[in-house]
Amino acid sequence: MPEKTLPHETTVPEAVSTAMKSGAGKPRSLGQDAWRELRGSWLFWSSGVLLVLFIVMAAFPTLFTGVDPRQADLRGHYLAPPNWSHFFEADWFGYNGQGQSVYARTVHGARASIIVGVCVTLAVTVIGGLVGMLAGYFGGWVDALLSRLTDIFFGIPLLLGALTLLQAFTHRTAWTVSLGLATFGWMQIARVMRGAVITQKQADFVTAARALGAGTGRILFRHILPNVIGPVIVVATIALGGYISTEATLSYLGIGLQDPVVSWGVDISAAQSQLRDAPHVLLVPASFLSLTVLAFILLGDAVRDALDPKLR
Amino acid sequence: MAETAKNEEVSDVVPSTAETTAEVEAVLDAPVDRGEPILQVRNLVKHFPLTQGILFKKQIGAVKAVDGVSFDLYKGETLGIVGESGCGKSTVAKLLMTLETATSGEVFYKGQDITKLSGRALKAVRRNIQMVFQDPYTSLNPRMTVGDIIGEPFDIHPEVAPKGDRRKRVQELLDVVGLNPEYINRYPHQFSGGQRQRIGIARGLALNPEVIICDEPVSALDVSVQAQVINLMEKLQNEFELSYVFIAHDLSIVRHISDRVGVMYLGKMAEIGTDSEIYDHPTHPYTQALLSAVPVPDPAAREGRERIILTGDVPSPANPPSGCRFRTRCWKAQDKCAEEVPLLAVPEVFAGKKTLAAHDSACHFAEERDVVHAA
Ligand SMILES: Nc1ncnc2c1ncn2[C@@H]1O[C@H](COP(=O)(O)OP(=O)(O)OP(=O)(O)O)[C@@H](O)[C@H]1O
Ligand code: SF4
Ligand SMILES: [Mg+2]
């Protein structure tokens, strides 16, 4: 093989050597730049702190309360109102219709709700993202097949599909409920992804990468994915709240989590009948749910913005 | 129409006999002397099928984007390819880059037909033939740093630069194209159009290619910046002995940079020759019409100059006219033009004559007509 080199191979131009010495030219990647950007973003930190709080609550509920969420004292505490000044105590947020501490139930309910929300969102993003990416990138019969599959699933309402599937399980946990929801929830992301990939794959920079000899993996994950992930993150984080409330509806219909399991969804559904007499029984778990969803949406926004160099 | 392409001879190309991948790679990396052909294109055809129906696609026709194009590119030269929008220039570029598969025809690089290569051999072709794109705003990934964009060729072809060397190589490339080497951590949107095009050129140079296909590399730039980029490309050509295929839609842009020029019309080459053959002695009516529209700086020459105005639209490439493709707009068209496809060859009237008009021109009634200078 003949020796073909740039003439500058041996003599490094002055500008290059100064650039190398000054350190100004230390190479960074999009990921590193995004992380630097995130570290300076208040949106990232506030949503991050909230989420860490909820995740610690989900993992170690006993750090927050020593009260058993299932312990019921109907006679003593039936729908007792909150004592807002009794921080972290059993009656902080009052009692529900079974005489159980709303505070204890909300703390213990975080686990199931967050597992369902996060798992379904992750699964849906991975499945929908992959289906959409393959359909959009390869086109042809792959697209025809995957798009028809997406259409078929789109025809089944999320609730109805999950209901039917979950009926097959006699013992339902947060994991089985997640499976049920993920199975019927991935189509929207698949569609968003497919459209975005079809637009991006025609971009000249993709052709340029192909001209350099880049393989399919590199083109999909280095070139197309970073340019389509933004809208997917937005759709996914917004949908997260929807999954937690669908879990609630399923539990309400008696086909979601089963009673000894505590979850925000179970409590929100149970509280609806007593909304007039004791709004706190509904409002407390509902507020926790909203805050969690908000934190995820803000985090998604921060990550999306950090990944867009034009916004820096 | 394609059948006439067959009676053109292919025998002038000496095809390589390499069979194994290693042999092919050796052929692709062999040195070529200046002035020898490096790229030989023969009867290149690309038809895009027109289909109907969603699930069961039925072909109802084809867009004949490129329909039998042949030319040579010599080592160290610039071949300009000119033609109106939609005549198939970009498709030719993509075929030369093997980004599209040719319907038929061959592209010989150093005698090796590259249209049928795959795998490692194809990767070796990519090292040797690179491309500069038209639009500097879409040809750079907005989410990659300049360092990553120019360094990507080395990630894909790790044998070209050892890992520890890459940052230096990237900065050298930035320097070579006249950008500050400290810019490696910037993103494309932080640059002007001209600077972005320089980044695109640096990426094309990274693998030390021998041929660079430039698809309208300056048409998206301001006129003032166009000259700078063209000058840079000329400087690089001398420095690295590059051969360029330089595509443009306008004869005036390529005049400065090309050694030879080919004029395309509706998927076919109408006329091809050296600079002075095409600009001073055009024999094809289409070239003459294009040249008559080129602005002339000298007002005296402008005075007596006749302007040929073409009437009618370019026909659809899905349904091109029979015989000569230009006949629907040609003022000299006769019955023969509709019946016989004119071949791209030295016209009979000029055959054997020692005149610059004796160059390849696909017209039955080729004749000289001075359209640029005062009539
Ligand atoms: N992928 C494709 N599928 C179908 N038709 C195509 C495709 N690519 C190009 N064509 C058609 O082929 C013809 C030639 O296109 P091409 O892009 O090569 O033209 P061009 O000479 O580069 O024009 P321009 O100066 O506008 O860039 C056009 O009619 C175009 O519509
Ligand atoms: S062959 Fe006939 S129609 Fe075609 S350019 Fe020549 S004169 Fe015109
Ligand atoms: Mg084009």
Side-chain angles (χ1 to χ4, degrees):
Chain A
M1 202 171 122
E3 202 49 38
K4 290 192 304 174
T5 49
L6 285 170
H8 294 293
E9 182 74 337
T10 44
T11 54
V12 178
E14 203 181 326
V16 173
S17 51
T18 39
M20 290 186 70
K21 272 188 230 115
S22 76
K26 192 153 173 40
R28 290 193 307 264
S29 64
L30 178 70
Q32 286 164 321
D33 278 339
W35 174 230
R36 257 168 42 127
E37 180 73 10
L38 277 179
R39 277 183 311 190
S41 142
W42 66 268
L43 208 63
F44 172 71
W45 286 114
S46 42
S47 56
V49 163
L50 258 179
L51 283 178
V52 167
L53 191 76
F54 285 126
I55 287 166
V56 171
M57 191 183 282
F60 312 105
T62 45
L63 286 180
F64 293 80
T65 176
V67 180
D68 181 355
R70 292 174 194 90
Q71 188 198 333
D73 180 359
L74 251 183
R75 193 168 332 134
H77 296 311
Y78 176 73
L79 292 184
N83 277 314
W84 296 115
S85 54
H86 290 189
F87 295 108
F88 304 112
E89 286 178 36
D91 60 347
W92 188 13
F93 297 141
Y95 289 86
N96 68 10
Q98 321 257 355
Q100 295 162 322
S101 158
V102 171
Y103 173 59
R105 287 194 68 85
T106 306
V107 168
H108 282 269
R111 181 179 295 174
S113 296
I114 287 179
I115 287 180
V116 170
V118 171
C119 284
V120 177
T121 306
L122 283 181
V124 154
T125 311
V126 170
I127 300 170
L130 227 72
V131 168
M133 204 143 111
L134 295 179
Y137 185 75
F138 290 105
W141 65 266
V142 178
D143 183 24
L145 199 78
L146 291 177
S147 291
R148 291 302 83 74
L149 189 74
T150 311
D151 289 345
I152 291 171
F153 273 85
F154 238 119
I156 309 167
L158 174 64
L159 195 60
L160 188 66
L163 208 112
T164 318
L165 184 71
L166 285 174
Q167 228 143 28
F169 294 90
T170 43
H171 177 71
R172 292 184 296 272
T173 63
W175 304 104
T176 41
V177 172
S178 300
L179 177 81
L181 290 178
T183 310
F184 297 97
W186 52 271
M187 296 78 68
Q188 193 189 7
I189 295 215
R191 284 211 174 156
V192 170
M193 191 69 154
R194 176 177 173 273
V197 168
I198 287 179
T199 317
Q200 290 296 331
K201 81 167 177 186
Q202 290 155 353
D204 277 352
F205 62 80
V206 172
T207 314
R210 282 209 292 143
L212 285 169
T216 309
R218 168 175 284 273
I219 289 175
L220 276 176
F221 293 102
R222 293 264 298 159
H223 290 277
I224 295 185
L225 190 62
N227 284 288
V228 298
I229 198 75
V232 171
I233 289 179
V234 174
V235 172
T237 49
I238 290 176
L240 189 141
Y243 299 132
I244 297 183
S245 36
T246 311
E247 176 268 308
T249 316
L250 282 173
S251 303
Y252 180 68
L253 294 173
I255 211 82
L257 297 174
Q258 285 146 320
D259 195 23
V261 180
V262 186
S263 89
W264 295 339
V266 171
D267 285 4
I268 291 172
S269 337
Q272 283 167 9
S273 52
Q274 296 140 352
L275 183 59
R276 290 246 209 110
D277 311 319
H280 64 274
V281 182
L282 176 78
L283 289 183
V284 172
S287 311
F288 273 69
L289 169 63
S290 304
L291 264 176
T292 311
V293 172
L294 184 72
F296 273 109
I297 290 179
L298 292 183
L299 182 72
D301 257 15
V303 170
R304 181 198 54 178
D305 289 355
L307 283 173
D308 189 349
K310 280 188 204 138
L311 295 176
R312 282 186 206 132
Chain B
M1 280 137 261
E3 67 274 12
T4 50
K6 285 189 199 107
N7 45 37
E8 273 181 56
E9 291 159 42
V10 198
S11 55
D12 60 320
V13 181
V14 188
S16 103
T17 51
E19 275 174 24
T20 65
T21 309
E23 280 169 3
V24 171
E25 277 187 276
V27 169
L28 295 178
D29 287 329
V32 172
D33 287 335
R34 212 183 160 77
E36 291 291 310
I38 187 161
L39 204 60
Q40 292 165 294
V41 178
R42 293 295 175 269
N43 303 324
L44 201 54
V45 174
K46 178 69 190 180
H47 291 182
F48 292 105
L50 284 171
T51 54
Q52 211 171 39
I54 298 163
L55 209 48
F56 301 101
K57 294 207 167 91
K58 200 174 74 189
Q59 184 166 346
I60 52 164
V63 177
K64 298 174 176 125
V66 175
D67 209 10
V69 164
S70 306
F71 60 82
D72 287 350
L73 175 73
Y74 300 100
K75 171 86 182 167
E77 77 157 354
T78 301
L79 171 69
I81 293 188
V82 174
E84 279 166 290
S85 185
C87 71
K89 307 179 298 288
S90 297
T91 309
V92 168
K94 290 199 176 120
L95 289 168
L96 298 184
M97 294 296 305
T98 55
L99 288 170
E100 296 273 8
T101 27
T103 308
S104 70
E106 296 91 27
V107 176
F108 296 96
Y109 176 74
K110 297 180 181 173
Q112 175 67 47
D113 182 5
I114 59 172
T115 54
K116 287 158 197 88
L117 294 183
S118 61
R120 255 183 65 195
L122 185 61
K123 237 179 145 179
V125 174
R126 305 252 184 253
R127 260 197 324 261
N128 287 293
I129 310 180
Q130 268 304 312
M131 184 157 180
V132 173
F133 290 81
Q134 167 170 5
D135 186 349
Y137 290 89
T138 60
S139 61
L140 306 178
N141 188 335
R143 308 213 175 195
M144 271 166 95
T145 62
V146 169
D148 280 345
I149 291 173
I150 302 178
E152 182 165 41
F154 303 131
D155 290 342
I156 299 172
H157 302 267
E159 70 283 3
V160 176
K163 217 163 169 67
D165 233 19
R166 290 192 194 158
R167 179 180 148 207
K168 196 183 92 199
R169 293 289 281 268
V170 168
Q171 293 186 319
E172 282 167 2
L173 284 162
L174 279 171
D175 190 58
V176 163
V177 297
L179 290 173
N180 186 338
E182 289 186 13
Y183 287 171
I184 55 169
N185 285 324
R186 296 207 181 175
Y187 288 87
H189 73 274
Q190 295 168 303
F191 294 91
S192 69
Q195 288 177 318
R196 283 163 169 247
Q197 201 54 303
R198 287 168 191 264
I199 297 169
I201 292 171
R203 171 178 60 192
L205 280 178
L207 299 172
N208 295 312
E210 298 202 43
V211 175
I212 297 190
I213 317 284
C214 318
D215 188 1
E216 308 200 31
V218 296
S219 1
L221 305 177
D222 281 354
V223 180
S224 56
V225 183
Q226 286 186 351
Q228 291 172 10
V229 172
I230 289 192
N231 289 341
L232 169 69
M233 296 186 71
E234 286 197 306
K235 185 196 107 185
L236 296 173
Q237 179 168 45
N238 296 333
E239 217 168 309
F240 304 118
E241 286 203 8
L242 299 168
S243 315
Y244 288 148
V245 173
F246 195 104
I247 294 172
H249 57 251
D250 177 348
L251 273 166
S252 57
I253 295 177
V254 290
R255 164 140 227 190
H256 179 65
I257 191 170
S258 340
D259 302 299
R260 289 188 311 127
V261 179
V263 179
M264 274 186 77
Y265 185 80
L266 213 56
K268 280 194 179 292
M269 200 65 97
E271 185 168 8
I272 186 166
T274 63
D275 237 20
S276 46
E277 284 170 350
I278 297 295
Y279 287 96
D280 302 330
H281 304 273
T283 62
H284 195 285
Y286 180 58
T287 314
Q288 291 165 352
L290 283 185
L291 275 173
S292 81
V294 168
V296 184
D298 177 9
R302 218 182 294 148
E303 281 290 296
R305 183 165 168 239
E306 60 174 323
R307 177 106 201 252
I308 304 167
I309 297 185
L310 290 179
T311 50
D313 290 329
V314 185
S316 154
N319 189 16
S322 66
C324 176
R325 300 221 159 168
F326 186 54
R327 74 178 162 83
T328 52
R329 297 165 84 195
C330 182
W331 60 94
K332 296 201 298 192
Q334 295 179 23
D335 288 348
K336 186 182 182 190
C337 303
E339 287 151 15
E340 261 181 65
V341 180
L343 296 183
L344 182 67
V346 179
E348 266 169 46
V349 278
F350 301 118
K353 290 199 184 138
K354 268 199 148 28
T355 155
L356 284 177
H359 59 265
D360 291 353
S361 175
C363 173
H364 294 307
F365 306 104
E367 60 182 343
E368 270 201 79
R369 172 164 169 176
D370 190 352
V371 281
V372 175
H373 310 91

